[in-house]
Amino acid sequence: MSNNLHQAGAKLLRQLGRHADLVMDVYLSGSVREDGDNAADIEKLRKSEILWRPEADQELRLKRSVRALLEEALSDERNRQIDSNVGSSLASIKTLADHYKEARQNVDYSASEAYLADLSEHVYSFAEGLRYSIRVLWSRINNEFGYVGTINAKIRENELAQSQVSELLNGLEMFQFSELGEIAGDIRELRRLLVTTLQETLSDCTQELSVVQGRLLELLGRFRQIRGRTRLLKGWLLYTDLHPDYRPDDHVSHKQLPTLFNRAEAILAPAAVDVSNTGYEPELLDIVSRLKAITRLPSEKQTLGHDVSVSLAETEDFDIPDNPLKLAVDQYFCSVIDSGRSQSALTYLNEQALSWDSESWLYQVICGYEGLPEEHRAYFELEPIGQSDSVYSGNFIIRDVELGLA
């Protein structure tokens, strides 16, 4: 069977190489007529199923698989399609996994190897197809849908790309790795394909699709803004065409300018007193001294019952006591210096039988290290001790810290 496939594939590739110019002409033009000088070559390509006829009265066209091969090899962005049908790929992967497990249980090694090869090809093809779709989306974003000529066409292409991204994200939610883990069981090959490979691929692609979706929304907003301004300009041109005798008024001579024309900022800023300028202090004091308090209510004169003596003396010095927790952390730093070896913060807390809880103690140790001057901090090294979060990737949970000399 493999020998027949090898011969058929080699024959197909020879046909493509022998008629490369004709294949590229059909690829660029979209179709080809059979009444030309190369009718014999066209007939050979048709028999090899490289060319096909959609309907009886239509011209010959390239097969979709051949066109997709050329689009991928030439990085042609004009007609590259995105396959957002994730459900069929998932069903095929599950079916092949069940075939492989059944053949393995029946000790049919040849069938199990064949099914494992097919399963590997499906998994890697799905991963490559998903990354290929993301590359196509990024290419469309980077050239701002340059393969269409109008703003309306760009907006339609952007909306199509957003719907494809949504379909891809909805399809990726169908992958339940708990179910795939149960299918794989304790078989190492299946766990590597169904859990490890697929989970890494889907995690990376989901994050990138989220970024793509944000960029598409940003680009759509810019397209709509351009379209709005274009419509305004076209409306103005249409109005001038319908009213050729229209002349704009001299808005400079008006007292109140319309907001549409008053776009320039004022040349002189409004005048205001700079109360922060100490050079104006004599003038400000003079103005304040000449202010008069005017009151309409009768006021009674108040007299003091006795003289009040005022004595000027120096203020007494006072000290703010240090935080006991901060003092304990300073003692911990001194202990590390005296011993000359690294020491865990929680170990020191337990050895000294200190009364603070471990979380407050760790926070104060970290704050004490960060609060040191740069030249003093260079003598120490603070190493966090903990592990990565098992659910949220990128988060590191600190259980303890170890302080040592640099």
Side-chain angles (χ1 to χ4, degrees):
M1 183 65 182
S2 60
N3 189 22
N4 295 334
L5 287 175
H6 183 275
Q7 292 178 0
K11 181 180 178 181
L12 176 63
L13 293 176
R14 283 196 297 269
Q15 288 279 354
L16 290 174
R18 190 178 299 115
H19 307 291
D21 294 334
L22 178 59
V23 171
M24 286 305 302
D25 291 339
V26 180
Y27 174 76
L28 295 175
S29 62
S31 61
V32 63
R33 294 181 178 273
E34 299 181 66
D35 54 359
D37 298 335
N38 50 4
D41 295 339
I42 293 176
E43 183 64 21
K44 292 179 182 179
L45 292 176
R46 189 187 66 79
K47 290 182 179 180
S48 301
E49 296 185 355
I50 297 175
L51 297 177
W52 72 298
R53 192 188 309 277
E55 296 179 5
D57 57 344
Q58 295 291 327
E59 299 176 352
L60 291 171
R61 299 175 178 271
L62 277 178
K63 294 282 285 188
R64 177 60 198 154
S65 57
V66 180
R67 176 172 289 275
L69 174 64
L70 292 174
E71 289 172 354
E72 174 66 16
L74 301 175
S75 299
D76 187 4
E77 302 295 336
R78 298 177 304 163
N79 299 314
R80 300 176 79 177
Q81 302 297 322
I82 295 176
D83 184 12
S84 57
N85 187 7
V86 180
S88 61
S89 301
L90 177 60
S92 299
I93 290 173
K94 290 181 179 179
T95 303
L96 287 173
D98 292 335
H99 291 342
Y100 172 73
K101 290 173 65 178
E102 183 180 5
R104 182 186 174 96
Q105 291 174 359
N106 296 333
V107 200
D108 190 352
Y109 295 110
S110 59
S112 62
E113 290 178 359
Y115 288 134
L116 182 61
D118 291 342
L119 178 61
S120 301
E121 181 64 27
H122 272 72
V123 170
Y124 293 136
S125 297
F126 170 73
E128 177 60 25
L130 191 58
R131 292 192 175 96
Y132 167 80
S133 300
I134 295 176
R135 288 199 303 271
V136 173
L137 289 170
W138 274 120
S139 177
R140 293 177 179 179
I141 291 173
N142 291 333
N143 62 17
E144 296 185 354
F145 301 95
Y147 48 87
V148 291
T150 63
I151 290 295
N152 289 330
K154 290 178 183 290
I155 291 176
R156 286 192 295 270
E157 287 289 334
N158 188 297
E159 293 173 348
L160 173 62
Q162 288 192 40
S163 64
Q164 291 171 341
V165 171
S166 299
E167 290 180 5
L168 285 173
L169 290 173
N170 294 333
L172 295 182
E173 291 180 357
M174 297 172 61
F175 281 83
Q176 300 295 329
F177 288 100
S178 58
E179 180 184 0
L180 293 177
E182 293 178 359
I183 294 175
D186 57 350
I187 303 175
R188 183 181 59 182
E189 293 80 3
L190 288 183
R191 295 196 69 85
R192 179 176 58 84
L193 289 173
L194 300 183
V195 180
T196 305
T197 303
L198 283 178
Q199 193 168 21
E200 291 177 355
T201 302
L202 265 62
S203 177
D204 296 339
C205 292
T206 302
Q207 294 178 3
E208 195 164 3
L209 282 173
S210 300
V211 178
V212 167
Q213 200 169 37
R215 291 289 300 276
L216 284 173
L217 290 173
E218 179 183 355
L219 197 60
L220 180 62
R222 187 159 73 247
F223 287 159
R224 288 177 175 173
Q225 183 181 18
I226 295 173
R227 185 175 65 177
R229 293 178 178 178
T230 304
R231 287 177 176 175
L232 179 62
L233 180 59
K234 287 182 178 180
W236 170 252
L237 294 176
L238 179 61
Y239 181 82
T240 55
D241 291 340
L242 296 176
H243 304 81
D245 56 344
Y246 172 76
R247 294 292 182 271
D249 296 336
D250 186 10
H251 296 285
V252 179
S253 61
H254 294 175
K255 294 182 178 179
Q256 297 293 333
L257 293 181
T259 308
L260 178 63
F261 299 99
N262 191 15
R263 307 303 298 173
E265 297 181 359
I267 298 177
L268 296 177
V273 178
D274 186 6
V275 296
S276 300
N277 191 345
T278 57
Y280 300 149
E281 186 175 353
E283 288 81 0
L284 292 175
L285 291 176
D286 180 64
I287 293 174
V288 172
S289 64
R290 287 187 279 109
L291 292 177
K292 295 182 179 180
I294 300 176
T295 178
R296 305 298 181 185
L297 298 177
S299 58
E300 298 179 356
K301 294 184 179 180
Q302 296 181 357
T303 57
L304 297 176
H306 59 279
D307 296 335
V308 178
S309 61
V310 178
S311 61
L312 300 178
E314 294 184 358
T315 58
E316 298 180 357
D317 295 334
F318 62 93
D319 294 330
I320 299 176
D322 290 334
N323 188 358
L325 180 57
K326 180 179 180 300
L327 295 176
V329 170
D330 294 341
Q331 188 63 33
Y332 168 54
F333 276 70
C334 295
S335 175
V336 172
I337 296 174
D338 295 337
S339 62
R341 58 183 180 86
S342 301
Q343 190 172 5
S344 167
L346 292 182
T347 303
Y348 181 84
L349 179 68
N350 295 329
E351 290 178 353
Q352 300 297 324
L354 300 178
S355 59
W356 294 284
D357 60 282
S358 58
E359 185 175 358
S360 301
W361 172 255
L362 290 178
Y363 270 117
Q364 186 61 38
V365 170
I366 296 174
C367 293
Y369 174 77
E370 297 293 338
L372 290 174
E374 189 67 30
E375 60 272 10
H376 295 168
R377 196 191 310 165
Y379 295 107
F380 295 96
E381 288 183 353
L382 190 67
E383 184 70 23
I385 301 174
Q387 71 275 356
S388 301
D389 194 279
S390 59
V391 177
Y392 303 101
S393 60
N395 293 334
F396 185 80
I397 301 176
I398 298 177
R399 303 296 184 187
D400 194 2
V401 293
E402 188 177 56
L403 182 68
L405 298 177

